[in-house]
Amino acid sequence: MKAIAVRPGTPHSVHQRDVPVPTLETQPHPHVCQIPSGRSVLVKVLQIGVDATDREIDEALYGNAPPGHDYLILGHESFGQVVEVGRLVTEFKSGDLVSCTVRRPGSSLFDQIGRNDITSQNEYYERGINLCHGYLTEYFVDDAEYMVKVPRELKHLGVLAEPASVCAKAIEQAYLAQHRLQVWSPKRAFVLGAGQIGLLATMMLRLRGLDVFTLARAPGPHRKSEIAHAYGATYVSTQETTMHDLAKRVGAPDLIFEATGNSQVAFQAMEVLGLNGALIWTSVTGGQAEVVVPGDKINMNWVLGNKLLVASVNGNRRHFELGIKDLAHGQALFPGVTEQILTNPVQGLDNFQEMMRLLVSDKNALKVYVNVA
Ligand code: BGC
Ligand code: ZN
């Protein structure tokens, strides 16, 4: 079957290759974990989303091949249909729609209790990213443990299950950590970045009743600003109003969700967060940029303001479930909005060069995904 892969370490090495079709007996990542006998699920791939992580992997800034392989199959945002299940799988049947999580457990205590998303091992195993092959293929097999059902009513949003899990986890982490304040009830949020993560976070924070300001560079109206508005948020172009000016005008935010992919913005956000506030960092910045910040001022204001920084990566099975619930809730409250994130379908794995071109050079491509089947 067809697979889209890169040679990690070699920039712009994305290519198509032929790999064996997996069966229920295949062990997809024997160097990391074994699927227990009878617990395999074989999935036909319907759609795979790609994001900045895939771009950075193709630029050789990030990612590693599985041991013994000189290539890494891309794709970590999965959506597919169950074809066949092992004899001990009761939770899925052929025809079910599913998404599959990204991380596989290492050996730390966190991994052993199902929290591979917060592994304390330096090495982490992620399908399509680090040390495990991904989903940009025609079929994949994995452990039922890592599959999450997508309701049929959400079929058109299934490919957003993984990004939604990342947002759901990050927001949940911030709320959990803010229990330290006993009566925290955030009113105002700034979401920095209006890519898929920024927009999904905008939706999720609106669902939680916050007054949300979504900030990105380009002045609206355009698709991103319209989606933010349709979620009931205010879109702000940072070319017109800086984050600092906005905070002066509307008040300092109780919560900031940073998703620009720019470490300078991540640090600048520290200057505007309100008292007792939480700043969430989600950008994975593969480069080498250095940032100058007003250290004394930030340090003092953070100490005197009891502020919190929460960094969050990945989502495990439970976060996928939370994310899917929010996608459903969002669909009910803001009908027809979330699907507008899905701007750029690519037809078939054969068009992988077009997929990369959109990802690298089309500024208007909010979400690129491949219709595999
Ligand atoms: C993925 C996460 C992953 C992270 C770090 C993101 O693009 O969506 O699942 O943990 O990259 O590799
Ligand atoms: Zn991703």
Side-chain angles (χ1 to χ4, degrees):
M1 66 174 180
K2 295 170 189 169
I4 306 305
V6 295
R7 271 176 290 278
T10 308
H12 311 298
S13 61
V14 65
H15 61 278
Q16 183 170 317
R17 59 196 301 134
D18 190 46
V19 298
V21 182
T23 68
L24 287 183
E25 277 64 55
T26 306
Q27 288 292 345
H29 6 262
H31 57 295
V32 179
C33 53
Q34 300 276 330
I35 305 178
S37 168
R39 291 287 294 159
S40 295
V41 178
L42 179 66
V43 176
K44 178 182 163 80
V45 175
L46 297 177
Q47 293 175 325
I48 301 293
V50 287
D51 70 358
T53 300
D54 300 284
R55 178 170 44 78
E56 292 203 337
I57 294 172
D58 188 44
E59 285 167 3
L61 293 172
Y62 195 63
N64 289 290
H69 290 215
D70 62 356
Y71 67 94
L72 170 74
I73 300 176
L74 284 177
H76 61 276
E77 301 177 359
S78 62
F79 180 53
Q81 185 158 37
V82 173
V83 176
E84 201 184 348
V85 301
R87 71 200 144 76
L88 297 179
V89 175
T90 52
E91 58 273 59
F92 301 102
K93 57 180 188 324
S94 145
D96 281 351
L97 299 173
V98 291
S99 181
C100 197
T101 68
V102 178
R103 281 215 179 161
R104 294 298 167 270
S107 54
S108 84
L109 204 48
F110 293 107
D111 294 282
Q112 285 163 32
I113 62 162
R115 290 302 304 270
N116 50 51
D117 62 306
I118 49 169
T119 186
S120 55
Q121 237 178 273
N122 282 326
E123 201 139 70
Y124 53 91
Y125 307 99
E126 294 185 336
R127 289 201 69 165
I129 301 177
N130 207 39
L131 304 167
C132 296
H133 288 310
Y135 304 113
L136 258 177
T137 54
E138 294 172 74
Y139 293 88
F140 66 82
V141 72
D142 215 324
D143 191 333
E145 179 67 25
Y146 305 116
M147 307 255 175
V148 187
K149 235 184 256 190
V150 175
R152 235 151 248 290
E153 296 68 23
L154 278 191
K155 186 174 183 197
H156 59 303
L157 301 180
V159 74
L160 293 174
E162 196 277 342
S165 76
V166 168
C167 297
K169 172 189 171 181
I171 292 170
E172 187 191 53
Q173 290 278 296
Y175 274 75
L176 284 171
Q178 288 295 69
H179 276 305
R180 73 196 172 104
L181 300 170
Q182 293 176 287
V183 292
W184 191 61
S185 90
K187 301 281 182 294
R188 189 178 309 113
F190 286 6
V191 174
L192 311 181
Q196 60 166 353
I197 297 294
L199 290 173
L200 290 173
T202 296
M203 187 238 332
M204 291 179 187
L205 293 169
R206 288 290 304 132
L207 292 177
R208 284 158 184 74
L210 278 84
D211 188 11
V212 180
F213 295 82
T214 305
L215 291 77
R217 254 177 308 215
H222 44 56
R223 166 122 21 175
K224 294 175 178 182
S225 68
E226 277 160 11
I227 295 173
H229 284 149
Y231 284 140
T234 305
Y235 177 86
V236 177
S237 157
T238 53
Q239 280 170 12
E240 294 173 348
T241 311
T242 65
M243 192 182 356
H244 291 77
D245 288 343
L246 181 68
K248 269 188 220 134
R249 202 177 78 209
V250 303
D254 305 303
L255 185 75
I256 302 181
F257 191 113
E258 200 291 320
T260 61
N262 180 329
S263 57
Q264 189 171 354
V265 177
F267 281 92
Q268 278 168 355
M270 299 187 121
E271 297 172 50
V272 306
L273 183 68
L275 299 177
N276 291 342
L279 167 59
I280 306 173
W281 275 1
T282 67
S283 294
V284 179
T285 45
Q288 302 290 327
E290 294 188 10
V291 181
V292 178
V293 293
D296 277 353
K297 203 168 137 221
I298 291 177
N299 185 86
M300 185 173 76
N301 287 337
W302 272 60
V303 169
L304 297 181
N306 290 294
K307 301 182 191 186
L308 177 80
L309 173 63
V310 189
S312 176
V313 69
N314 194 251
N316 69 24
R317 203 207 136 79
R318 202 177 57 77
H319 306 119
F320 271 69
E321 287 165 358
L322 283 177
I324 289 169
K325 278 184 194 155
D326 274 356
L327 287 173
H329 192 185
Q331 156 146 301
L333 289 187
F334 313 109
V337 179
T338 304
E339 51 258 52
Q340 292 175 37
I341 294 175
L342 297 169
T343 48
N344 292 74
V346 171
Q347 298 310 330
L349 293 170
D350 292 339
N351 281 319
F352 69 93
Q353 296 288 12
E354 171 65 359
M355 170 193 92
M356 270 302 165
R357 187 194 67 76
L358 287 165
L359 205 50
V360 174
S361 48
D362 191 332
K363 277 215 175 98
N364 296 321
L366 169 51
K367 182 68 201 165
V368 182
Y369 60 102
V370 184
N371 283 320
V372 177

